[in-house]
Every structure is written in C-alpha cells, then in structure tokens.
Amino acid sequence: MQVASVLILFIVVLVIILVPLAVRIVPQGMEYTVERWGRYTHTLEPGFHLIIPIFDRIGSRLSMMEQVLDVPSQEIITKDNAMVRVDGILFYQVLNAAKAAYEVSHLEYAVRNLTMTNIRTVMGSMDLDELLSRRDEINNRLLAVVDEATNPWGIKVTRIEIKDITPPKDLVDSMARQMKAERDKRADILEAEGVRQADILKAEGQKQASILRAEGMKQSAILEAEGRREAAFREAEARERLAQAEARATAMLSKAIEEGNTQSVNYFIAQKYLEAFGKLAESPNQKVLMLPMEATGILGSLAGMAELLKEGGFASAKSDRKEG
C-alpha cells in the first residue's frame, strides 16, 4: 500500500509538472517554432496546442503582424559631392516564421543595416537636385532592392519611406539665395509684362480716343458745312427777294416817271442818299463828318417824301415792296 501510494503521488506530481510544459496557447498574430532535441520540427499557429514535454520546446516567438522599423540618420555623399543627412522608415511583415527564425540571426538588425547600405548606394548615385525632387523614385528603387534581398528570410518589405533629407547649412543658404533670385526674376518679368500690357491698353485707349475725336470733328465739320449751306441758301433767298422788291420798286418808279410824278423820283433819290450817308456815319474810322452843300436839298426831298407818303398810290406801292 505504501509503495502504491508513493507511486500515485509521484504520478500526480509528474502530471502537475509536465502538463504546463505540454500545453501551449498561441495568441492571434503570433506563431511559435517547435524544436525537438534542438532541431526545428514544425510551427504552432494561433490556438491551443500540445507538445511533448522534455523532448520538445518552443524555439522562437514571432509576430506575424506588419511591423515598423526606424532607419537611423546617416550622412551620404551624392554624385555631385554634396554631403547630406538622411533617415527613413521601413515597414515589413513576417510571412514564414521558420525562415525568419533560422535563415538570419537578429532579423531587425539585419534588415536595418541592409536598408542603410542600400540607401547609401541608391542615393549616392544621384545628384542633389534629383534627391530633393525625385523622392518617390528613390523610395521605389529602395523597396525593390531591399525586398528582393530579404525574400530568403521569409519576410515581405511592404514600404520604405525617406523621411528627411538635410543638406549642409551653407548649401541650404546657397539654395535659398538661388530661390530668392529666381523669385525676384519672375517678379521682375511679371512686373514688366504688367507695364507692357498697361502701355498697350493705354495706346489702344488713345487710339480709340483719337478715332472718336476724328469722328466727332468730321461730324462737326459736316454739321457746320450743312449750317453754312443752309445759311447761304437762306441768304441767297433773301437776296433774291430783295432783288425782286428792288425790281418792283424800279418798275413802279419808271411808271411814276412816265406819268410825270416827280415826287416819286425825289423819294427814291433821297432814300439812296440817306442810306449812303448812314453808312458813312457808321464807319469806325470816320472821325470828322463832312456835310455836303446840298443839305437843304435833302431837307426838301424829305418834305417831298412826307407828301408822297400821304398819297394812297405810293403807299400801296411801298406795302408791296415790304411784302417782297
């Protein structure tokens, strides 16, 4: 009985010790490699698993999720002998846990150093201007090279990004001066273009104003000519009417002479005499007015004109002349 009890107790203690060693629960996103006597046998995926205690053991615990790896900053000499400082970031994912555990030692260290070496190789073959303007091309070239190199390690490099490219301070100052000169040049060009466009618009405006002035002057000249023509027409018409009236008066005078009416002749002569005398008096250069000796004759003619006006026949002739 005592031997049996000791044996049962020994078995129970052995089970209590070995069961925890045999049971393995793998969390989601992880994979474990199993080794028997130090040799890889299989991989445990997420879930509940049993292994043989003492004979089997867990070799490596690997995350199958995508991981981020910082690439340290380093100095690189470009193709045109410019010294720049560069750093980056790398994303990778383990696809084969056995290869990642046994094909390379210190996986992260190997990936980081491989990436740094290829950054120096790729960026060292380019000029500084290409480094600053063709970052996407650099990222794609690095991704292709590093992913191919790490393929035997059971990992997949999904992305490589260059974070910062820092040229030397004197080079940055030189680039700033160059950019400022380019901006000043573009500003001067734009200002010159603006002045040129303003001059063109001003010239076009002056041209248009000249055309409008010429058209206005032309229209004014046409209207003025039309006015002069109308005035000449009216003046000619007035002269024609005056000539008709003079002709009628002369005819009437001739008739009066034939009839022996001397007063009509005296009236006509006195009228012409007074008109000539009035024009002489209206002359601006006339300072001294000389009266003719026949002044008494003029007064007599005026008296005769008064008597003539009293006559009905001559009054009708005068009204006809006014109507003409």
Side-chain angles (χ1 to χ4, degrees), residues 2-33:
Q2 293 181 354
V3 176
S5 299
V6 172
L7 182 59
I8 293 172
L9 181 61
F10 175 76
I11 293 173
V12 171
V13 172
L14 185 62
V15 169
I16 294 173
I17 295 175
L18 295 180
V19 167
L21 297 176
V23 175
R24 289 290 181 266
I25 299 176
V26 180
Q28 184 66 37
M30 300 291 292
E31 287 188 1
Y32 294 171
T33 60

Side-chain angles (χ1 to χ4, degrees), residues 19-168:
V19 167
L21 297 176
V23 175
R24 289 290 181 266
I25 299 176
V26 180
Q28 184 66 37
M30 300 291 292
E31 287 188 1
Y32 294 171
T33 60
V34 178
E35 299 176 356
R36 179 172 297 174
W37 307 114
R39 181 180 179 180
Y40 168 77
T41 57
H42 62 281
T43 300
L44 302 181
E45 295 180 352
F48 178 82
H49 299 275
L50 293 175
I51 62 174
I52 300 174
I54 300 174
F55 297 97
D56 297 337
R57 72 179 186 89
I58 301 300
S60 298
R61 294 175 171 83
L62 298 174
S63 174
M64 307 303 290
M65 296 179 290
E66 189 171 4
Q67 302 180 58
V68 181
L69 185 64
D70 285 327
V71 180
S73 177
Q74 60 178 329
E75 290 185 347
I76 297 174
I77 300 176
T78 62
K79 186 177 180 180
D80 52 355
N81 297 324
M83 183 73 71
V84 295
R85 181 169 290 276
V86 180
D87 61 357
I89 189 171
L90 180 143
F91 297 84
Y92 74 95
Q93 184 178 10
V94 176
L95 301 180
N96 191 315
K99 288 184 177 181
Y102 301 110
E103 293 293 335
V104 62
S105 178
H106 302 94
L107 178 62
E108 289 188 0
Y109 178 79
V111 173
R112 181 182 292 111
N113 282 274
L114 179 64
T115 304
M116 292 176 65
T117 302
N118 282 278
I119 287 176
R120 285 195 298 269
T121 302
V122 172
M123 301 183 71
S125 63
M126 304 175 70
D127 296 332
L128 179 61
D129 292 339
E130 295 177 340
L131 293 184
L132 299 176
S133 61
R134 300 166 65 178
R135 188 171 296 192
D136 290 339
E137 181 180 346
I138 296 173
N139 294 335
N140 293 331
R141 289 177 60 183
L142 285 172
L143 178 62
V145 173
V146 175
D147 183 50
E148 183 179 0
T150 57
N151 186 50
W153 301 344
I155 66 173
K156 173 66 176 177
V157 178
T158 57
R159 182 177 298 178
I160 298 178
E161 296 287 342
I162 299 298
K163 292 195 296 183
D164 294 322
I165 300 177
T166 307

Side-chain angles (χ1 to χ4, degrees), residues 35 52 65 67 88 110 149 179 190 219 233 263 280 309 314 323:
E35 299 176 356
I52 300 174
M65 296 179 290
Q67 302 180 58
M179 292 175 61
L190 291 176
Q219 189 67 23
F233 176 77
Q263 292 181 355
L280 179 64
L309 290 172
F314 189 74
E323 290 177 359

Side-chain angles (χ1 to χ4, degrees), residues 258-279:
E258 290 178 358
E259 294 176 355
N261 190 354
T262 58
Q263 292 181 355
S264 298
V265 176
N266 292 334
Y267 171 79
F268 185 78
I269 294 172
Q271 184 182 13
K272 297 297 181 180
Y273 192 87
L274 288 176
E275 289 178 358
F277 190 73
K279 292 181 180 180

